[in-house]
Structures are given as C-alpha cells and as structure tokens.
Amino acid sequence: MLVTMELHQEGHRTGRSGWLRAAVLGADDGLVSTAALVVGLVASGAARIAIVTAAVAALVAGSLAMSIGEYVSVSTQADTEKADRLREAAELEGDPDQELLELQHIYESRGLSSELAATVAEVLHRNGALEAHLRDELGHAEETRARPLQAALVSAMSFAVGATLPLIVVVVAPTSVRIPFVAISTVLAMCLLGAVGAQLGGAPPLRGALRVGIGGTLALLVTYGVGLVLGASV
Ligand SMILES: [Zn+2]
C-alpha cells in the first residue's frame, strides 16, 4: 500500500516538473535576452524612453515568438501521439490475436512468467486494450501527454515574467547605476532560476545556479561591449 502511494506521487511529480521546467527555461530566456538588450542600450547612451520602449517590445515579441515556437513543436509531438493511437487502434481492429500476443511478450520481457503475462494481457485486453497498448508498447502516459496550448501559454507567460525584472529595474534605478543594478539583479535571478531548474531535474542546485549564472554574465558582458562600441561610433 505504502509502495503504491509512493509510486503514485512519483508519477505526479514527473507530470508537473515537465511544464515547471519549461516555465523556468522561459523565464530564463526572458530575463537574459531583455537584460542583455537593456544593458547594451544603456551602455550605448540611449535615452531612457528608447530603452524602455525597446525593452517592452522585446518582452512582447519574445513572448509571442516563444509561444508560437512552443505551440508548433508540441503540436508536432501531439500529432505523432495521435497517429500512434490511430495506428494502434487499426492494428487491434485488424488482428486482435496478434496484438494480444504482442502485449503478452512485452510483459514477459519485463520479467513476468508466460502464464502470468498471458493472464495480465488478457485482462487488460478486455478492459481497454488500446490504452494498454499505448501505455505499455509505446510508453504514452497521461502525465507526459503533449499539450500544445498549455505549453504555448506557459512559455509566453514565463518569458514575460522573466523580462519584467530588468524592465522594472531599469525604470526605477537612478541613471548613474542602471547598468550595475540591472546586471546584479539579473545574475542573482538567473542563479535562482538555475538552482530551481536543477532541483526540478534532480541535479545539484549549486552547479545549476553557477552554470546559468556564468552563462548570463557572459551574455550581459557581450551586449555591454556591443553597446559601448556602437554608442561610441554611431
Ligand atoms: Zn500493439
């Protein structure tokens, strides 16, 4: 009983961590790309109104691009799952005996004795043969099912949330310290996201934080340099 409950909870964690990780990645993208843009613009000496306009445009454009990209990629995955389902249903319709045998072999290969595998396969075939095949032959699961709309919404919203931080900081920070304020808040937020992302994936949080933090710092340094060069020469 205890074991069953633990397995059940484990399954739920897998389902949730899928879109949670997507959300962390989206926030990461929004944060880094907008902060890098803002730092480059500040370094170039652009006016505050230009910086804020560009940052808002980057937030909106990035959110849209992320959601469209995510929708297309997850839709492809959903199409594949649907095609699998149709093919499996047709096979069951066309040759149920062969399919029953197939299911039995799958359970045998997982360590069940021949008789037990045959019994399990028969019972499952009577109560929802298609679901049994999708689950045990193709590895489909409710927790990992492709949900294009959900994926699109999650990535658009998380990108926008990530992009909001540098936008707010550049608006409220005094002019002379805008770059360090944006840079420090961005790197701290990135380390936090990196740690959370690593935690969700079961990796050491500190390593995740450092990896993302260093990557983000490099991105900021590069656009800072670009801003300086363009600001001096254009
Ligand atoms: Zn099958």
Side-chain angles (χ1 to χ4, degrees):
M1 185 63 196
L2 193 65
V3 172
T4 330
M5 277 178 60
E6 274 174 10
L7 283 175
H8 192 64
Q9 280 175 353
E10 204 63 34
H12 275 289
R13 200 163 70 196
T14 310
R16 210 173 44 229
S17 80
W19 67 262
L20 260 178
R21 278 167 88 178
V24 169
L25 286 179
D28 229 36
D29 272 1
L31 182 63
V32 181
S33 60
T34 312
L37 178 85
V38 163
V39 164
L41 282 169
V42 174
S44 78
R48 185 182 290 258
I49 179 71
I51 297 168
V52 173
T53 308
V56 172
L59 184 157
V60 174
S63 298
L64 290 175
M66 283 283 288
S67 63
I68 293 165
E70 197 68 2
Y71 186 81
V72 170
S73 110
V74 179
S75 291
T76 310
Q77 195 190 330
D79 288 346
T80 310
E81 286 175 11
K82 194 177 165 198
D84 280 347
R85 173 176 278 270
L86 289 176
R87 199 196 53 227
E88 205 57 42
E91 283 175 7
L92 275 168
E93 177 96 20
D95 195 349
D97 292 342
Q98 176 60 35
E99 287 296 302
L100 180 61
L101 210 58
E102 187 185 51
L103 206 56
Q104 184 188 332
H105 288 324
I106 289 170
Y107 298 136
E108 274 178 35
S109 75
R110 290 181 191 171
L112 267 59
S113 69
S114 285
E115 302 99 87
L116 187 53
T119 313
V120 172
E122 265 167 42
V123 172
L124 287 176
H125 248 232
R126 248 179 282 133
N127 316 307
L130 182 57
E131 294 310 316
H133 277 265
L134 290 174
R135 187 182 58 237
D136 294 328
E137 184 188 339
L138 300 169
H140 290 194
E142 185 55 27
E143 287 86 358
T144 55
R145 195 160 62 86
R147 294 178 180 80
L149 213 56
Q150 186 197 56
L153 280 175
V154 165
S155 46
M157 273 169 11
S158 52
F159 186 97
V161 168
T164 302
L165 177 77
L167 179 59
I168 289 175
V169 172
V170 82
V171 168
V172 300
T175 307
S176 58
V177 290
R178 281 186 298 191
I179 290 181
F181 270 41
V182 170
I184 290 167
S185 61
T186 300
V187 171
L188 286 179
M190 288 195 67
C191 288
L192 187 69
L193 285 173
V196 172
Q199 184 85 39
L200 288 172
L206 187 64
R207 195 185 304 163
L210 282 178
R211 195 179 293 154
V212 178
I214 290 170
T217 307
L218 285 177
L220 295 183
L221 283 173
V222 168
T223 56
Y224 176 69
V226 171
L228 279 185
V229 170
L230 286 179
S233 61
V234 176

Short mmCIF file of all heavy atoms in Angstrom, two decimals, residues 145-190:
data_model
loop_
_atom_site.label_atom_id
_atom_site.label_comp_id
_atom_site.label_asym_id
_atom_site.label_seq_id
_atom_site.Cartn_x
_atom_site.Cartn_y
_atom_site.Cartn_z
N ARG A 145 1.66 13.61 -21.71
CA ARG A 145 0.95 13.85 -22.96
C ARG A 145 1.24 15.27 -23.47
O ARG A 145 1.33 16.21 -22.70
CB ARG A 145 -0.56 13.68 -22.74
CG ARG A 145 -1.35 13.54 -24.02
CD ARG A 145 -2.69 12.89 -23.70
NE ARG A 145 -3.49 13.69 -22.78
CZ ARG A 145 -4.30 14.67 -23.19
NH1 ARG A 145 -4.42 14.95 -24.47
NH2 ARG A 145 -5.00 15.35 -22.33
N ALA A 146 1.39 15.40 -24.79
CA ALA A 146 1.70 16.71 -25.39
C ALA A 146 0.48 17.61 -25.33
O ALA A 146 -0.61 17.23 -25.78
CB ALA A 146 2.14 16.51 -26.83
N ARG A 147 0.63 18.80 -24.74
CA ARG A 147 -0.46 19.76 -24.65
C ARG A 147 0.01 21.09 -25.25
O ARG A 147 0.58 21.92 -24.54
CB ARG A 147 -0.88 19.96 -23.19
CG ARG A 147 -1.48 18.73 -22.55
CD ARG A 147 -1.83 18.99 -21.09
NE ARG A 147 -2.41 17.82 -20.47
CZ ARG A 147 -1.73 16.79 -20.00
NH1 ARG A 147 -0.41 16.80 -20.09
NH2 ARG A 147 -2.33 15.77 -19.46
N PRO A 148 -0.21 21.28 -26.56
CA PRO A 148 0.35 22.45 -27.26
C PRO A 148 -0.08 23.79 -26.67
O PRO A 148 0.75 24.68 -26.47
CB PRO A 148 -0.18 22.30 -28.68
CG PRO A 148 -0.56 20.88 -28.81
CD PRO A 148 -0.96 20.40 -27.46
N LEU A 149 -1.38 23.91 -26.35
CA LEU A 149 -1.88 25.19 -25.86
C LEU A 149 -1.29 25.53 -24.50
O LEU A 149 -0.87 26.65 -24.24
CB LEU A 149 -3.42 25.15 -25.79
CG LEU A 149 -4.12 26.46 -26.09
CD1 LEU A 149 -3.71 27.00 -27.46
CD2 LEU A 149 -5.64 26.27 -26.03
N GLN A 150 -1.26 24.52 -23.63
CA GLN A 150 -0.68 24.73 -22.30
C GLN A 150 0.79 25.12 -22.42
O GLN A 150 1.26 26.05 -21.77
CB GLN A 150 -0.82 23.45 -21.46
CG GLN A 150 -0.38 23.63 -20.02
CD GLN A 150 -0.13 22.29 -19.33
OE1 GLN A 150 0.66 21.47 -19.80
NE2 GLN A 150 -0.81 22.06 -18.24
N ALA A 151 1.51 24.41 -23.28
CA ALA A 151 2.93 24.70 -23.46
C ALA A 151 3.13 26.12 -23.97
O ALA A 151 4.02 26.85 -23.51
CB ALA A 151 3.55 23.69 -24.43
N ALA A 152 2.28 26.54 -24.93
CA ALA A 152 2.40 27.89 -25.50
C ALA A 152 2.14 28.95 -24.44
O ALA A 152 2.89 29.92 -24.32
CB ALA A 152 1.43 28.04 -26.66
N LEU A 153 1.09 28.75 -23.64
CA LEU A 153 0.75 29.73 -22.60
C LEU A 153 1.83 29.81 -21.54
O LEU A 153 2.23 30.90 -21.13
CB LEU A 153 -0.59 29.34 -21.94
CG LEU A 153 -1.84 29.73 -22.72
CD1 LEU A 153 -3.08 29.19 -22.02
CD2 LEU A 153 -1.93 31.25 -22.84
N VAL A 154 2.30 28.65 -21.10
CA VAL A 154 3.32 28.62 -20.04
C VAL A 154 4.58 29.34 -20.51
O VAL A 154 5.14 30.17 -19.79
CB VAL A 154 3.65 27.17 -19.63
CG1 VAL A 154 4.93 27.12 -18.82
CG2 VAL A 154 2.50 26.58 -18.84
N SER A 155 5.02 29.09 -21.75
CA SER A 155 6.28 29.71 -22.17
C SER A 155 6.09 31.21 -22.41
O SER A 155 6.99 31.99 -22.09
CB SER A 155 6.89 29.00 -23.38
OG SER A 155 5.93 28.76 -24.34
N ALA A 156 4.94 31.62 -22.95
CA ALA A 156 4.71 33.06 -23.14
C ALA A 156 4.70 33.79 -21.80
O ALA A 156 5.35 34.83 -21.63
CB ALA A 156 3.39 33.30 -23.87
N MET A 157 3.98 33.22 -20.82
CA MET A 157 3.87 33.90 -19.54
C MET A 157 5.19 33.92 -18.79
O MET A 157 5.56 34.93 -18.20
CB MET A 157 2.78 33.25 -18.69
CG MET A 157 1.42 33.87 -18.99
SD MET A 157 0.00 33.03 -18.29
CE MET A 157 0.65 31.86 -17.17
N SER A 158 5.90 32.80 -18.83
CA SER A 158 7.15 32.77 -18.07
C SER A 158 8.21 33.68 -18.72
O SER A 158 8.97 34.33 -18.02
CB SER A 158 7.67 31.34 -17.93
OG SER A 158 7.75 30.71 -19.18
N PHE A 159 8.21 33.76 -20.06
CA PHE A 159 9.14 34.68 -20.72
C PHE A 159 8.83 36.11 -20.27
O PHE A 159 9.74 36.88 -19.92
CB PHE A 159 9.00 34.58 -22.24
CG PHE A 159 10.01 35.39 -23.01
CD1 PHE A 159 11.17 34.80 -23.50
CD2 PHE A 159 9.81 36.74 -23.23
CE1 PHE A 159 12.10 35.55 -24.19
CE2 PHE A 159 10.74 37.50 -23.92
CZ PHE A 159 11.89 36.90 -24.41
N ALA A 160 7.54 36.47 -20.25
CA ALA A 160 7.13 37.82 -19.86
C ALA A 160 7.54 38.12 -18.42
O ALA A 160 8.02 39.21 -18.11
CB ALA A 160 5.63 38.00 -20.05
N VAL A 161 7.35 37.13 -17.54
CA VAL A 161 7.74 37.34 -16.13
C VAL A 161 9.24 37.58 -16.03
O VAL A 161 9.69 38.52 -15.35
CB VAL A 161 7.33 36.11 -15.28
CG1 VAL A 161 7.98 36.17 -13.90
CG2 VAL A 161 5.82 36.04 -15.14
N GLY A 162 10.02 36.76 -16.73
CA GLY A 162 11.48 36.94 -16.70
C GLY A 162 11.89 38.29 -17.25
O GLY A 162 12.77 38.97 -16.70
N ALA A 163 11.24 38.74 -18.32
CA ALA A 163 11.61 40.01 -18.97
C ALA A 163 11.21 41.21 -18.13
O ALA A 163 11.77 42.30 -18.28
CB ALA A 163 10.95 40.08 -20.34
N THR A 164 10.24 41.02 -17.24
CA THR A 164 9.73 42.15 -16.44
C THR A 164 10.78 42.66 -15.45
O THR A 164 10.85 43.86 -15.17
CB THR A 164 8.46 41.72 -15.69
OG1 THR A 164 7.50 41.29 -16.65
CG2 THR A 164 7.86 42.87 -14.90
N LEU A 165 11.62 41.74 -14.93
CA LEU A 165 12.59 42.16 -13.91
C LEU A 165 13.55 43.25 -14.42
O LEU A 165 13.60 44.34 -13.84
CB LEU A 165 13.35 40.95 -13.36
CG LEU A 165 14.43 41.33 -12.34
CD1 LEU A 165 13.81 41.66 -10.99
CD2 LEU A 165 15.47 40.24 -12.18
N PRO A 166 14.30 43.00 -15.51
CA PRO A 166 15.20 44.06 -15.98
C PRO A 166 14.45 45.33 -16.42
O PRO A 166 14.97 46.43 -16.26
CB PRO A 166 15.94 43.42 -17.17
CG PRO A 166 15.20 42.19 -17.50
CD PRO A 166 14.46 41.76 -16.28
N LEU A 167 13.24 45.15 -16.91
CA LEU A 167 12.43 46.31 -17.32
C LEU A 167 12.13 47.20 -16.11
O LEU A 167 12.34 48.42 -16.14
CB LEU A 167 11.13 45.80 -17.96
CG LEU A 167 10.12 46.86 -18.43
CD1 LEU A 167 10.76 47.77 -19.46
CD2 LEU A 167 8.89 46.18 -19.02
N ILE A 168 11.68 46.58 -15.02
CA ILE A 168 11.37 47.36 -13.81
C ILE A 168 12.64 48.00 -13.25
O ILE A 168 12.65 49.18 -12.90
CB ILE A 168 10.71 46.45 -12.73
CG1 ILE A 168 9.30 46.06 -13.18
CG2 ILE A 168 10.66 47.16 -11.38
CD1 ILE A 168 8.63 45.07 -12.25
N VAL A 169 13.72 47.22 -13.21
CA VAL A 169 14.95 47.73 -12.60
C VAL A 169 15.47 48.93 -13.39
O VAL A 169 15.88 49.94 -12.81
CB VAL A 169 16.03 46.62 -12.52
CG1 VAL A 169 17.36 47.20 -12.06
CG2 VAL A 169 15.58 45.52 -11.56
N VAL A 170 15.41 48.86 -14.71
CA VAL A 170 15.96 49.98 -15.50
C VAL A 170 15.07 51.21 -15.36
O VAL A 170 15.53 52.35 -15.48
CB VAL A 170 16.17 49.58 -16.98
CG1 VAL A 170 14.89 49.68 -17.80
CG2 VAL A 170 17.27 50.44 -17.60
N VAL A 171 13.79 51.02 -15.10
CA VAL A 171 12.88 52.16 -14.92
C VAL A 171 13.13 52.83 -13.57
O VAL A 171 13.19 54.06 -13.47
CB VAL A 171 11.41 51.70 -15.03
CG1 VAL A 171 10.46 52.81 -14.56
CG2 VAL A 171 11.08 51.34 -16.47
N VAL A 172 13.30 52.04 -12.49
CA VAL A 172 13.38 52.63 -11.16
C VAL A 172 14.81 53.00 -10.74
O VAL A 172 14.99 53.84 -9.87
CB VAL A 172 12.75 51.71 -10.07
CG1 VAL A 172 11.29 51.45 -10.38
CG2 VAL A 172 13.53 50.41 -9.94
N ALA A 173 15.83 52.39 -11.35
CA ALA A 173 17.20 52.64 -10.89
C ALA A 173 17.65 54.06 -11.28
O ALA A 173 17.31 54.54 -12.36
CB ALA A 173 18.15 51.62 -11.50
N PRO A 174 18.42 54.72 -10.40
CA PRO A 174 18.98 56.02 -10.75
C PRO A 174 19.88 55.89 -11.99
O PRO A 174 20.55 54.86 -12.16
CB PRO A 174 19.82 56.40 -9.53
CG PRO A 174 19.32 55.54 -8.43
CD PRO A 174 18.79 54.29 -9.05
N THR A 175 19.90 56.92 -12.83
CA THR A 175 20.59 56.85 -14.12
C THR A 175 22.04 56.35 -14.02
O THR A 175 22.47 55.52 -14.81
CB THR A 175 20.58 58.24 -14.78
OG1 THR A 175 19.22 58.67 -14.81
CG2 THR A 175 21.12 58.18 -16.19
N SER A 176 22.77 56.84 -13.02
CA SER A 176 24.21 56.54 -12.97
C SER A 176 24.50 55.07 -12.63
O SER A 176 25.59 54.58 -12.94
CB SER A 176 24.88 57.44 -11.94
OG SER A 176 24.27 57.24 -10.68
N VAL A 177 23.55 54.37 -12.01
CA VAL A 177 23.84 52.99 -11.58
C VAL A 177 22.91 51.98 -12.27
O VAL A 177 22.70 50.87 -11.78
CB VAL A 177 23.71 52.84 -10.04
CG1 VAL A 177 24.85 53.56 -9.35
CG2 VAL A 177 22.36 53.34 -9.56
N ARG A 178 22.38 52.36 -13.43
CA ARG A 178 21.45 51.45 -14.09
C ARG A 178 22.12 50.14 -14.50
O ARG A 178 21.55 49.06 -14.34
CB ARG A 178 20.82 52.12 -15.33
CG ARG A 178 19.70 53.07 -14.95
CD ARG A 178 19.00 53.61 -16.15
NE ARG A 178 19.93 54.38 -16.97
CZ ARG A 178 19.56 55.15 -17.99
NH1 ARG A 178 18.29 55.25 -18.31
NH2 ARG A 178 20.46 55.80 -18.68
N ILE A 179 23.33 50.23 -15.04
CA ILE A 179 23.99 49.00 -15.51
C ILE A 179 24.29 48.03 -14.37
O ILE A 179 23.89 46.86 -14.43
CB ILE A 179 25.25 49.32 -16.35
CG1 ILE A 179 24.79 49.92 -17.68
CG2 ILE A 179 26.09 48.07 -16.58
CD1 ILE A 179 25.91 50.27 -18.63
N PRO A 180 24.98 48.48 -13.28
CA PRO A 180 25.20 47.51 -12.19
C PRO A 180 23.90 46.99 -11.57
O PRO A 180 23.82 45.80 -11.24
CB PRO A 180 26.02 48.31 -11.17
CG PRO A 180 26.00 49.72 -11.61
CD PRO A 180 25.72 49.73 -13.07
N PHE A 181 22.89 47.84 -11.45
CA PHE A 181 21.62 47.38 -10.87
C PHE A 181 21.00 46.27 -11.73
O PHE A 181 20.60 45.23 -11.23
CB PHE A 181 20.62 48.54 -10.71
CG PHE A 181 20.73 49.25 -9.38
CD1 PHE A 181 21.97 49.51 -8.82
CD2 PHE A 181 19.59 49.64 -8.70
CE1 PHE A 181 22.07 50.15 -7.60
CE2 PHE A 181 19.69 50.29 -7.46
CZ PHE A 181 20.92 50.55 -6.91
N VAL A 182 20.92 46.54 -13.05
CA VAL A 182 20.33 45.53 -13.95
C VAL A 182 21.18 44.27 -13.93
O VAL A 182 20.66 43.14 -13.83
CB VAL A 182 20.20 46.08 -15.39
CG1 VAL A 182 19.82 44.95 -16.36
CG2 VAL A 182 19.15 47.18 -15.44
N ALA A 183 22.52 44.44 -14.02
CA ALA A 183 23.40 43.27 -14.09
C ALA A 183 23.30 42.42 -12.84
O ALA A 183 23.13 41.20 -12.92
CB ALA A 183 24.84 43.72 -14.33
N ILE A 184 23.37 43.06 -11.67
CA ILE A 184 23.38 42.29 -10.42
C ILE A 184 22.04 41.59 -10.20
O ILE A 184 21.98 40.40 -9.90
CB ILE A 184 23.74 43.20 -9.21
CG1 ILE A 184 25.21 43.60 -9.30
CG2 ILE A 184 23.48 42.49 -7.90
CD1 ILE A 184 25.61 44.72 -8.37
N SER A 185 20.94 42.33 -10.42
CA SER A 185 19.62 41.70 -10.19
C SER A 185 19.41 40.55 -11.17
O SER A 185 18.85 39.51 -10.83
CB SER A 185 18.50 42.73 -10.31
OG SER A 185 18.49 43.30 -11.60
N THR A 186 19.88 40.73 -12.41
CA THR A 186 19.71 39.68 -13.42
C THR A 186 20.51 38.43 -13.06
O THR A 186 19.99 37.31 -13.10
CB THR A 186 20.14 40.18 -14.80
OG1 THR A 186 19.33 41.29 -15.16
CG2 THR A 186 19.99 39.10 -15.86
N VAL A 187 21.78 38.63 -12.69
CA VAL A 187 22.62 37.46 -12.37
C VAL A 187 22.08 36.73 -11.14
O VAL A 187 22.03 35.49 -11.13
CB VAL A 187 24.09 37.89 -12.19
CG1 VAL A 187 24.92 36.74 -11.66
CG2 VAL A 187 24.66 38.37 -13.51
N LEU A 188 21.64 37.49 -10.13
CA LEU A 188 21.06 36.84 -8.95
C LEU A 188 19.81 36.03 -9.31
O LEU A 188 19.66 34.88 -8.90
CB LEU A 188 20.71 37.88 -7.88
CG LEU A 188 21.89 38.48 -7.12
CD1 LEU A 188 21.40 39.52 -6.10
CD2 LEU A 188 22.69 37.39 -6.42
N ALA A 189 18.93 36.66 -10.12
CA ALA A 189 17.70 35.96 -10.51
C ALA A 189 18.02 34.73 -11.35
O ALA A 189 17.38 33.69 -11.22
CB ALA A 189 16.78 36.90 -11.28
N MET A 190 19.07 34.85 -12.20
CA MET A 190 19.46 33.70 -13.03
C MET A 190 19.98 32.56 -12.18
O MET A 190 19.69 31.39 -12.44
CB MET A 190 20.52 34.11 -14.03
CG MET A 190 19.96 34.97 -15.13
SD MET A 190 21.10 35.05 -16.45
CE MET A 190 21.04 33.36 -17.00
#
